[in-house]
Amino acid sequence: MKYLKLKATTFLIAATLASPLAAQEAGGRLDIVVQPEPPGLMLGLVQNGPTQMVAGDIYESLLRYDSDLNPMPSLAKSWEISDDGLTYTFKLQEGVTWHDGKPFSADDVVFSADVFLRETHARLRASLAYVESITAPDPLTVVFKLKEPFGPFINAFENGTMPIVPKHIYEGTDFANNPANATPIGTGPFKFDEWVKGSHIHLVKNEDYYIDGLPHLDEVFYRVIPDAAARAVAFETGDVDVLPGGSVENWDVPRLAEMDGVCITEKGWEFVAPLAWMWLNNREGPTANVKFRQAVMYAMDREFMQQVVWNGFGKVATGPIASSTNFYSDDVTIYDHNPEKAKELLAEMGYDGEPVRILPLPYGETWQRWAEAVRQNLSEVGINAEIDSADVAGWNEKTSQWDYDLAFTYLYQYGDPALGVSRNYTADRIKKGSPWNNVEGYNNPELDKKWAAAATMVTPEERNTAYADIQKEIVDDVPVAWMQELTFPTIYRCNVKDLVTTAIGVNDGPRNAWIEK
């Protein structure tokens, strides 16, 4: 079992930011692939993956997180949580300025969290519902008071979750149409310079960054290269230095990783912890029968798929919570590859060969191959399965309108079950028109109560026990077919040092990165 180790009593966390080591050389340019091109760079308005990767250098939040999801300083240098879990007090860094030279203060944090992001950031809004007040007793102190304990609240201060925006630019404006959205201004280690659509986004070193010696790099270019094969060629020829996870087709990863002077890492995904599964339509057809859903799990050779389709990257999932997410437990029913067990379950339910459709994710050939492997396994136990492919727009339409039988997806977990997991299984998240919630239609009122109770328990020990119970029950229900914990490997030149140093990887990596000459 895994859970966040926080003291139940009042505690103070403070850290001294170390001076850069002498071996860390200053200067240089880093070229990173970004794909697809971001729809915008104002992180308070847009939170998709490409935006978070680029804007993670421009904007900051109060905290960063290490690979074990322990909080680390960012705009906050220290923080304290009261014994009752209701008061979070943050002490801010001194001498921080916005990229336009204006001073940063606690008022910016209060405005960002209590005004701007409550309006613009749906995922954060769910966490802020637990917050009674956000105040600034002085320019370097921010206090969050909660209405009731909310265990995962300490995880809400990641850059993509709670980006701090400049009050002096956005207060009293139409946030979505503020002209400053085109030229984002943050407190981060890099400043926006230019964006040539279809070509690149250029960021330059923030010479006034509040951490002495950082950043090391002079500039970062985010290169827009639409074709996966062309991205691989750009790396091979030296035009780009970094291929973030998912930049190239999966089968190209081993070949590129074997090049001289090339390194690869699966780290940097711990916070978002992408977990892939197939939604199983719980409303109608064979998939509405729990025995059919269990049969699907036993029919699949997920270890083979992980080794062959994903070249050994990632990890076979055991249930709704990824092993890198807090409160994970593997004390659940384990669905190994057991075709005979699958056939027994199908016979017990009286499955008559009614066809089911498998909808792959339209994100490249790897996902198509994954769907083909599933179809083959299901056919081997007598399930009449067919592939029902669609483009991105078609996939969105089919899943959001519940027009599918089995549909591939993957979603982020954000370090805690209450932030990124429960939303996929509770009945209040069943809403037609969105492909990012309880799309399968799982309805279990008693389990919903357990999800809600676990989120508001004060101690990690209580929450660990509660989530272990939840995982046992839901794994037996199989509302979705859990497939794999995804780790999209980052490929980079070995002379690029300290690129992945946090649980969000390349999204804030250039802050500490340096180039060995």
Side-chain angles (χ1 to χ4, degrees), residues 335-348:
Y335 293 97
D336 55 359
H337 182 218
N338 190 336
E340 292 308 313
K341 179 66 174 176
K343 291 176 182 177
E344 290 174 12
L345 289 164
L346 293 172
E348 289 174 14

Side-chain angles (χ1 to χ4, degrees), residues 29 37 39 57 67 69 113 142 147 266 303 355 400 415 433 455:
R29 159 181 170 171
E37 188 166 15
D57 295 324
S67 59
L69 306 185
V142 180
K147 304 170 187 175
E266 293 184 68
E303 287 76 12
S400 62

Side-chain angles (χ1 to χ4, degrees), residues 43 47 52 56 59-65 74 117 121 123-124 153-164 271-272 414 419 502-505 507-508:
L43 192 53
Q47 291 91 37
Q52 288 193 51
Y59 295 96
E60 296 178 296
S61 189
L62 298 186
L63 302 176
R64 305 168 90 214
Y65 301 83
S74 187
L117 296 172
H121 201 314
R123 178 163 51 82
L124 178 62
F153 194 61
I154 193 64
N155 291 90
F157 300 94
E158 176 265 337
N159 203 8
T161 304
M162 191 186 291
I164 305 304
F271 189 84
V272 295
Y414 300 106
L419 297 179
T502 72
I504 60 172
N507 285 11
D508 65 358

Side-chain angles (χ1 to χ4, degrees), residues 79-82 85-90 142-146 150-154 157:
W79 53 99
E80 181 180 338
I81 304 176
S82 63
L86 295 177
T87 304
Y88 291 66
T89 303
F90 294 86
V142 180
V143 179
F144 290 77
K145 285 191 176 295
L146 276 57
F150 183 52
F153 194 61
I154 193 64
F157 300 94

Side-chain angles (χ1 to χ4, degrees), residues 3 5 78 181 185 230 325 336 343 379 508:
Y3 64 91
K5 300 177 179 66
S78 65
N181 295 339
I185 292 173
T325 299
D336 55 359
K343 291 176 182 177
S379 298
D508 65 358

Side-chain angles (χ1 to χ4, degrees), residues 172-486:
T173 72
D174 176 357
F175 301 153
N177 295 299
N178 190 309
N181 295 339
T183 55
I185 292 173
T187 59
F190 291 90
K191 301 165 68 171
F192 175 80
D193 179 55
E194 70 169 357
W195 184 352
V196 178
K197 294 294 177 69
S199 174
H200 66 267
I201 300 167
H202 183 214
L203 307 184
V204 297
K205 179 177 182 175
N206 178 6
E207 299 285 357
D208 299 316
Y209 195 53
Y210 57 91
I211 301 177
D212 187 36
L214 292 182
H216 304 294
L217 300 168
D218 290 331
E219 57 186 343
V220 181
F221 279 85
Y222 288 91
R223 302 281 298 280
V224 179
I225 306 173
D227 180 68
R231 293 193 288 272
V233 170
F235 185 79
E236 290 175 293
T237 59
D239 287 345
V240 298
D241 307 299
V242 180
L243 292 172
S247 297
V248 295
E249 291 288 5
N250 200 49
W251 58 80
D252 279 333
V253 173
R255 176 176 59 81
L256 296 173
E258 290 172 0
M259 292 171 53
D260 290 340
V262 170
C263 289
I264 185 170
T265 181
E266 293 184 68
K267 295 183 70 63
W269 293 91
E270 296 85 0
F271 189 84
V272 295
L275 187 67
W277 64 78
M278 287 189 299
W279 280 309
L280 303 175
N281 195 330
N282 286 212
R283 303 172 184 86
E284 60 186 10
T287 50
N289 189 306
V290 65
K291 290 186 177 181
F292 184 91
R293 301 197 298 266
Q294 292 171 343
V296 168
M297 292 297 291
Y298 282 118
M300 292 187 296
D301 189 348
R302 295 178 297 155
E303 287 76 12
F304 170 84
M305 297 172 193
Q306 185 258 344
Q307 288 296 318
V308 175
V309 178
W310 287 93
N311 295 315
F313 294 111
K315 183 178 180 180
V316 173
T318 59
I321 300 178
S323 59
S324 63
T325 299
N326 289 317
F327 310 111
Y328 164 77
S329 171
D330 61 2
D331 185 17
V332 296
T333 298
I334 300 299
Y335 293 97
D336 55 359
H337 182 218
N338 190 336
E340 292 308 313
K341 179 66 174 176
K343 291 176 182 177
E344 290 174 12
L345 289 164
L346 293 172
E348 289 174 14
M349 68 166 282
Y351 174 62
D352 61 2
E354 181 179 347
V356 293
R357 300 163 296 161
I358 302 172
L359 180 64
L361 258 178
Y363 287 178
E365 188 62 29
T366 297
W367 291 89
Q368 188 70 30
R369 292 183 180 185
W370 205 359
E372 291 286 356
V374 169
R375 187 198 63 78
Q376 178 64 30
N377 280 167
L378 297 187
S379 298
E380 289 167 355
V381 300
I383 296 175
N384 185 4
E386 57 189 35
I387 304 293
D388 180 27
S389 296
D391 60 13
V392 173
W395 181 91
N396 284 334
E397 176 69 14
K398 285 177 176 290
T399 54
S400 62
Q401 296 302 312
W402 308 336
D403 179 19
Y404 72 93
D405 297 310
L406 302 87
F408 276 89
T409 190
Y410 72 89
L411 290 180
Y412 291 166
Q413 304 212 333
Y414 300 106
D416 193 284
L419 297 179
V421 180
S422 63
R423 61 184 172 136
N424 304 304
Y425 305 104
T426 56
D428 62 330
R429 295 302 186 97
I430 299 175
K431 184 178 181 182
K432 208 166 193 177
S434 171
W436 314 117
N437 53 23
N438 184 346
V439 172
E440 74 274 11
Y442 180 59
N443 191 344
N444 186 332
E446 292 305 313
L447 201 58
D448 286 358
K449 293 176 184 176
K450 293 181 180 181
W451 284 112
T456 58
M457 291 174 179
V458 176
T459 69
E461 291 78 12
E462 288 178 298
R463 299 188 72 213
N464 194 64
T465 299
Y467 283 121
D469 178 51
I470 288 171
Q471 287 169 85
K472 270 188 174 181
E473 182 173 345
I474 201 168
V475 166
D476 287 340
D477 276 355
V478 198
V480 306
W482 297 285
M483 302 297 289
Q484 185 168 315
E485 299 176 21
L486 299 176

